[in-house]
Amino acid sequence: MVKKIVMVTGATSGIGEACARKFAGGGYNVIITGRRAEKLESLKAELEKTGAKVLALTFDVRQRDAAKAAVESLSGEWKNIDVLINNAGLALGLDKEYEGDFEDWDTMIDTNIKGLLNMTRFIVPGMVSRDSGHVINIGSVAGDAAYANGNVYCATKAAVKALADGLRIDVAASSVRVTNLKPGLVQTNFSNVRFHGDDKKAESVYEGIQPLTGADIADVAFYAASAPAHVQIAEVLILATHQASGSVVVRK
Ligand code: NDP
Ligand code: 8X3
C-alpha cells in the first residue's frame, strides 16, 4: 500500500516532534523540517525504526527562497504531500505592548505569520491540483483573545486562525481540508524560548497544573487527518483540564 506523506514544520521539538512521531507510527512517511540539522538527523533515525520513510529538510521558514528551494527539491513520491502541519512558531517575551522588543516582534511576525504563509503558498497549489490534501495549522488559545502582555504573540495566532479560515474558503471548491488547532498550555520548549533561556521562569508557567503534552496535540492532529474525506475538522480548542481560557488557569 502506498503510504501517505506528512510534512511537519518545526519537528525538532515539542508539538512538531510529537506530530512526526504520531504520524510515523500511524503509517505515514514523514518530511521533518526545522533549523537544527542534528536534531532532525537523530529524529529521522528514530522514526525510521517504525518502518516509515523519513526525509529531513533543514531550513528557516522565514527565508522564502530557502523554503521554496526545499519544496522544489522534493522528488518522486515526496512531491505529493498529503498533510502539511504548519507548526513552526514561537513566542518571544511577555511585555506590555508599549514596552515590547522590536526584534522579538519581527521574529514572531516573520515566523508565525509569514513563515506559515510561505509554506502554505509553496505546498497548497500541489494539493489543489491533485484535488487532495490537508493543511493543519497550529494556532493557539492565544489567538482567541489577548492575555496580559501577550499582545503581539496573541495577534500572530489570531492571524493564524484568519489564514486558516481564509484558506478554507479559497480551497472549498476542491477536496483539500483545512484545520486550525488551538492548544492551551503545552509543556515543550516554548516557554524556554519565550523567556530567552530562563528555565526557572519557563517552569513556573506550568506550576500547579498538569499541562498538555506535545503528544496530546499530535493525537488531535492525527484524528483530524484520519477523519473520513467528507469530514473537515475546521477548528479545535484543546485546553488543560484546569485551564479555562488563555488567561484563566486554576493552579493547586
Ligand atoms: P518548541 O519551542 O518546543 O518547538 C518550536 C519548533 O518550531 C521547533 O521545532 C523549532 O525548530 C521550530 N521553529 C521555530 N522557529 C523556526 C523557524 N524560523 N524556522 C523553522 N522552524 C522554526 O515549541 P512548541 O512545540 O510548543 O511550539 C510549536 C507551535 O505550537 C508554535 O507555533 C507555538 O506557537 C504553538 N503553540 C504552543 C503552545 C504551548 O503551550 N507550547 C500552545 C499553543 C500553540 P528549530 O529551532 O530547529 O528551527
Ligand atoms: C501558547 C499557549 O497560552 O502560553 O500559544 O500563549 S499560551
Side-chain angles (χ1 to χ4, degrees):
M1 204 186 80
V2 181
K3 285 190 171 191
K4 286 189 171 182
I5 294 169
V6 63
M7 175 187 265
V8 184
T9 68
T12 56
S13 173
I15 294 171
E17 185 176 348
C19 286
R21 279 206 184 94
K22 178 75 188 181
F23 280 74
Y28 280 71
N29 290 331
V30 185
I31 304 171
I32 49 177
T33 83
R35 291 167 299 177
R36 286 171 288 167
E38 273 179 29
K39 281 282 301 179
L40 289 176
E41 282 313 315
S42 61
L43 181 62
K44 179 177 190 292
E46 178 201 318
L47 298 181
E48 281 172 344
K49 291 183 189 145
T50 67
K53 284 189 193 165
V54 183
L55 187 64
L57 297 175
T58 308
F59 65 93
D60 184 323
V61 292
R62 290 172 296 176
Q63 291 173 4
R64 191 166 290 149
D65 290 346
K68 186 167 187 262
V71 174
E72 285 176 354
S73 76
L74 298 172
S75 61
E77 59 186 306
W78 290 112
K79 275 180 190 280
N80 301 337
I81 294 168
D82 296 287
V83 181
L84 166 64
I85 305 186
N86 268 326
N87 164 77
L90 77 175
L92 287 172
L94 197 59
D95 304 296
K96 291 189 190 300
E97 194 166 315
Y98 58 87
E99 293 173 346
D101 182 273
F102 292 106
E103 213 172 299
D104 285 352
W105 291 356
D106 288 345
T107 306
M108 287 188 278
I109 291 167
D110 288 349
T111 309
N112 300 359
I113 304 177
K114 292 167 75 179
L116 176 142
L117 269 172
N118 288 340
M119 300 311 297
T120 302
R121 180 67 182 85
F122 296 134
I123 289 167
V124 174
M127 291 181 173
V128 171
S129 70
R130 293 189 300 277
D131 195 29
S132 164
H134 195 156
V135 178
I136 300 178
N137 284 354
I138 305 298
S140 171
V141 64
D144 280 357
Y147 53 75
N149 301 319
N151 43 69
V152 174
Y153 176 69
C154 296
T156 67
K157 290 299 179 176
V160 169
K161 176 192 159 43
L163 293 171
D165 290 346
L167 182 64
R168 200 176 300 110
I169 296 166
D170 297 339
V171 299
S174 79
S175 303
V176 176
R177 303 184 290 185
V178 182
T179 299
N180 188 39
L181 295 187
K182 303 186 298 184
L185 289 168
V186 188
Q187 193 156 20
T188 61
N189 218 31
F190 178 84
S191 294
N192 309 71
V193 171
R194 166 170 251 172
F195 297 121
H196 299 281
D198 184 338
D199 292 341
K200 221 170 150 200
K201 216 168 166 184
E203 269 172 34
S204 71
V205 174
Y206 311 105
E207 258 165 28
I209 184 168
Q210 183 175 348
L212 299 163
T213 64
D216 295 324
I217 308 308
D219 284 347
V220 180
F222 191 78
Y223 171 77
S226 310
H230 68 286
V231 178
Q232 178 169 220
I233 310 287
E235 191 166 286
V236 186
L237 174 66
I238 311 139
L239 298 176
T241 296
H242 295 287
Q243 176 175 25
S245 70
S247 40
V248 177
V249 177
V250 178
R251 299 176 193 272
K252 294 226 166 83

